[in-house]
Amino acid sequence: MIVRHPDAPEWGEGQVQSRIGDRITVNFTEAGKRVLDGRHVALEILRFDGA
């Protein structure tokens, strides 16, 4: 799944690597790997990557 962080558009698009509970690991093109708290950010889904 390809996403964008609504409060950090400069991070570029990100590919979701995993989700465990509320912890979402995303690899962003301009910011690298970030672990986000899903309780505090609503990622914008751009597309599903065919998985």
Side-chain angles (χ1 to χ4, degrees), residues 31-47:
K33 187 193 315 186
R34 302 289 175 127
V35 179
L36 307 171
D37 187 336
R39 296 172 297 177
H40 299 290
V41 64
L43 295 171
E44 175 186 350
I45 298 172
L46 301 178
R47 63 186 176 276

Side-chain angles (χ1 to χ4, degrees), residues 1-40:
M1 178 183 312
I2 305 300
V3 298
R4 184 178 313 262
H5 191 301
D7 297 328
E10 67 277 8
W11 290 1
E13 294 184 356
Q15 182 174 20
V16 175
Q17 303 295 302
S18 67
R19 178 178 176 197
I20 300 172
D22 292 319
R23 291 172 48 116
I24 306 166
T25 303
V26 183
N27 189 19
F28 289 97
T29 55
E30 301 298 326
K33 187 193 315 186
R34 302 289 175 127
V35 179
L36 307 171
D37 187 336
R39 296 172 297 177
H40 299 290

